[in-house]
Amino acid sequence: MELSRRISTLTGGGSDGWDVFNRARAMVSAGEPVVELTIGEHDIRTDPTILAAMDAAARAGHTGYAAIPGVRALRERVAARVSERTGVPTGPENVMVTPGGQAALFAAHHAVCDEGDVALYIDPYYATYPGTIRSVGAVPRAVQTRSRDAFQPRAEDLDKAAEGARCLLINSPNNPTGVVYARETLEGVARVCRDHDLWLISDEVYDTQVWEGEHLSPRALPGMADRTLVIGSMSKSHAMTGSRLGWVVGPEEVVDHMITLALNTTYGVPGFIQQAGIFALDQGTALEEKIAAPFRRRRDLAQEVLAAQNTVVPIPSQGAMYLMLDIRATGMSGDAFANALLDTHKIAVMPGESFGQAAAGHIRVAMTVGDEAFLQALETLCSFAAEQAQ
Ligand code: PLP
């Protein structure tokens, strides 16, 4: 029996970019002591107070079908959080709760793209972006950025790529680069969206992890609130990756249509998870800062290690839980470097090539193991790079 073209071409062919990750996991399963600096997940679990709220909510009866757009109280909390942080008046009618940011990305693209429409995204990119675009029948078109620009997109490149496109997906703070888009970058993005009548899908799931500069939501820029869909999630901000709790914020009319989509796809998010989300958001920024603190600390430690050598060139680390390192001085591709580092030192990092062509010759290091192991691994990585460069 034949499958749909849409599902059988979802990955676009070729490697899915997870080879090193899979190899590392296989080594761990075989009992080998691998330091895994690959996937973007905290080394702590969800806070026990959030789990207690989840448990209490389930026992209090929040185990039936929950309101599909999200329960009113959660939509209100998200709206208040967005209004407070961005200054853009936002109400519960502008919010749809989703099973994680990934489902929000799918819903947003589904809402604005027709079959065959061109959807822009920035290279390097979070691994699921092209597949998410293909999953709604749209055609992904990458806009290349440059290492020497710290991977901030140039308005003139966006302008060229925007001809005939329907939407643009951006992500700041950025995975995989750890870069926070400057105001100037976002103003360029907004200008291109207005000039070419593009929808902007702004993935802001790392908005609580900013080490340098400030997070600016482009929805707050002039003329952008009516054409921007913001993707949010509690995965990274509250170490709730497994709870699958996220949202889309946008114009009410778009939200209404996405609710119809949810009715026919996800059927909402479990009520006890939503209640736990309300509890977590009610803890305010104190809890968010506690969750972000280990990454901030490790990023500072990494700055010292990286400053003491001159083979590996770091991309300015401004936010999110990753370091993007230029290892071109070794003469190796990111892929070859990551495989060799795993083989020789049992340290697993992601090749830049896993995130597109723009990050070839780079590696992404997730700061997701304890400080001591992280520092040791980074020092080993730098020595290894220096040996390769000789
Ligand atoms: N967007 C970015 C940039 C990510 O890095 C991730 C997860 O790693 C997601 C979205 C999806 O996160 P979730 O579906 O867990 O909210």
Side-chain angles (χ1 to χ4, degrees):
M1 293 293 289
E2 232 174 82
L3 290 170
S4 75
R5 204 157 21 85
R6 186 180 287 180
I7 202 152
S8 50
T9 59
L10 219 54
T11 60
S15 155
D16 62 4
W18 289 95
D19 301 348
V20 178
F21 170 79
N22 291 333
R23 234 160 51 73
R25 280 284 149 104
M27 287 163 76
V28 171
S29 300
E32 294 188 54
V34 177
V35 183
E36 291 187 89
L37 308 175
T38 47
I39 201 165
E41 190 160 33
H42 318 65
D43 47 319
I44 52 158
R45 300 287 88 191
T46 303
D47 198 84
T49 58
I50 300 178
L51 296 181
M54 203 181 287
D55 180 62
R59 287 176 194 283
H62 291 279
T63 51
Y65 292 125
I68 290 171
V71 296
R72 177 98 190 161
L74 179 56
R75 294 173 83 195
E76 282 171 355
R77 296 303 196 285
V78 172
R81 184 178 189 261
V82 170
S83 305
E84 199 177 300
R85 289 177 185 218
T86 66
V88 185
T90 306
E93 67 283 358
N94 299 116
V95 179
M96 183 179 80
V97 174
T98 60
Q102 184 56 48
L105 284 162
F106 175 79
H109 282 93
H110 210 291
V112 302
C113 288
D114 276 317
E115 192 82 24
D117 278 347
V118 170
L120 304 176
Y121 66 108
I122 310 294
D123 183 348
Y125 52 85
Y126 171 52
T128 69
Y129 283 179
T132 304
I133 292 169
R134 286 190 200 97
S135 72
V136 305
V139 179
R141 180 187 290 167
V143 181
Q144 301 295 315
T145 56
R146 299 162 185 81
S147 181
R148 64 175 180 279
D149 294 343
F151 298 111
Q152 303 244 358
R154 292 185 188 177
E156 67 259 31
D157 293 336
L158 292 170
D159 198 49
K160 272 184 221 143
E163 203 54 54
R166 192 65 178 258
C167 59
L168 165 63
L169 169 60
I170 62 166
N171 168 224
S172 176
N174 187 271
N175 175 15
T177 64
V179 166
V180 175
Y181 285 0
R183 175 175 285 274
E184 193 189 10
T185 301
L186 291 168
E187 283 172 350
V189 163
R191 180 159 34 78
V192 171
C193 288
R194 288 190 303 263
D195 287 354
H196 293 270
D197 200 20
L198 300 182
W199 286 97
L200 179 63
I201 301 175
S202 178
D203 181 342
E204 302 179 21
V205 304
Y206 292 98
D207 67 347
T208 61
Q209 298 180 5
V210 178
W211 325 132
E212 246 177 49
E214 49 156 2
H215 169 65
L216 172 65
S217 176
R219 182 167 172 263
L221 293 174
M224 292 306 289
D226 288 344
R227 61 170 71 250
T228 303
L229 301 175
V230 175
I231 308 301
S233 168
M234 300 194 67
S235 285
K236 314 294 175 175
S237 57
H238 291 80
M240 290 179 72
T241 49
S243 292
R244 312 309 303 134
L245 189 55
W247 52 79
V248 189
V249 171
E252 184 176 358
E253 191 200 348
V254 187
V255 168
D256 286 347
H257 283 293
M258 290 190 297
I259 293 169
T260 309
L261 175 69
L263 172 73
N264 291 286
T265 52
T266 61
Y267 218 79
V269 174
F272 56 94
I273 300 285
Q274 295 196 55
Q275 295 299 325
I278 292 169
F279 170 86
L281 289 178
D282 281 347
Q283 308 313 301
T285 52
L287 180 55
E288 294 173 357
E289 280 163 18
K290 178 176 149 193
I291 309 276
F295 304 121
R296 182 186 289 280
R297 202 171 57 234
R298 289 169 202 157
R299 178 263 186 188
D300 290 347
L301 293 170
Q303 303 272 82
E304 287 173 32
V305 173
L306 292 163
Q309 55 82 56
N310 50 19
T311 309
V312 171
V313 181
I315 301 303
S317 163
Q318 300 164 323
M321 51 177 82
Y322 313 100
L323 300 174
M324 180 62 93
L325 305 177
D326 181 345
I327 49 91
R328 285 177 291 182
T330 62
M332 299 166 90
S333 68
D335 212 29
F337 185 93
N339 275 294
L341 186 67
L342 180 59
D343 289 335
T344 55
H345 294 289
K346 299 197 192 323
I347 297 170
V349 298
M350 292 297 287
E353 292 84 357
S354 293
F355 309 103
Q357 293 165 20
H362 294 64
I363 52 167
R364 187 194 76 173
V365 177
M367 300 185 279
T368 49
V369 296
D371 296 12
E372 207 173 310
F374 173 70
L375 257 188
Q376 221 168 52
L378 193 62
E379 278 164 3
T380 306
L381 183 157
C382 289
S383 314
F384 176 73
E387 285 160 26
Q388 303 306 308
Q390 274 166 13

